[in-house]
Amino acid sequence: MKNIKSIGFTFLLAFITLAVNVTGVVYATDADLNLPSTIVRIEVSDGTESYFITKLMDVPEGYDVSNGTYLGWCIDTRVEMARSPATHPVKLYSSLNPPGDLANESWDMVNYILNHKRGNATDIQQAIWYFINLDTAYTPTSKVAWEIINDALENGEGYVPSYGEKIAVICYPQYVLPSEVQVSIIEVANTVIPEFSSPQIMLIILSATLLIIVMYNKGIFRRIKP
């Protein structure tokens, strides 16, 4: 029995030590995506699930985006962007760290909308335009769009997508006049593991400790043969 108790407490100590070490790891200093700084190309076509189907090309390896298709949305109705097979050079920016001229836009609302969808693509697009439509105020005509807007106004202030949720990535046109190509966004899954605050770390350790103590008292460790 003494050996069995020793095994149980050794396991408990090892688990607590592991919890401290794991939660002490710094996963990310800023909960943002790893995007290429080089210019890439996009090719867009009309979507059904989203406003655009956006194809990324010339994306280097090792980033949180890759060559392929993404759900895309418009934030700029000043012009009509040429569809596929036309391609457009862009730089990619996370909406959590937008370029200076877009820094004051309502990205929290847009990210909230992308992660709390309802209605169809038209409803969602109109709601996005309500919050961000460069240089032009937009008034939605869809009843569902207004439901989306009111939900975002009530719950979306300061919203930051968590791990696995969608982050709006800005496709910012390069080498063209602003009037020639629309500024658009694509949906990219957030791959950043969030940091835990000190209180959260202590809560995790305490919860794990209590769980193992309960397991020990219920005789779980007694089933381990010495």
Side-chain angles (χ1 to χ4, degrees), residues 126 143 145 177 209 218 226:
Q126 288 192 10
K143 178 182 177 181
L177 295 174
T209 302
K218 287 182 177 295

Side-chain angles (χ1 to χ4, degrees), residues 197-215:
S197 64
S198 295
Q200 288 174 317
I201 292 174
M202 294 306 299
L203 181 60
I204 291 170
I205 295 173
L206 178 60
S207 299
T209 302
L210 292 175
L211 174 61
I212 294 179
I213 290 173
V214 169
M215 291 171 62

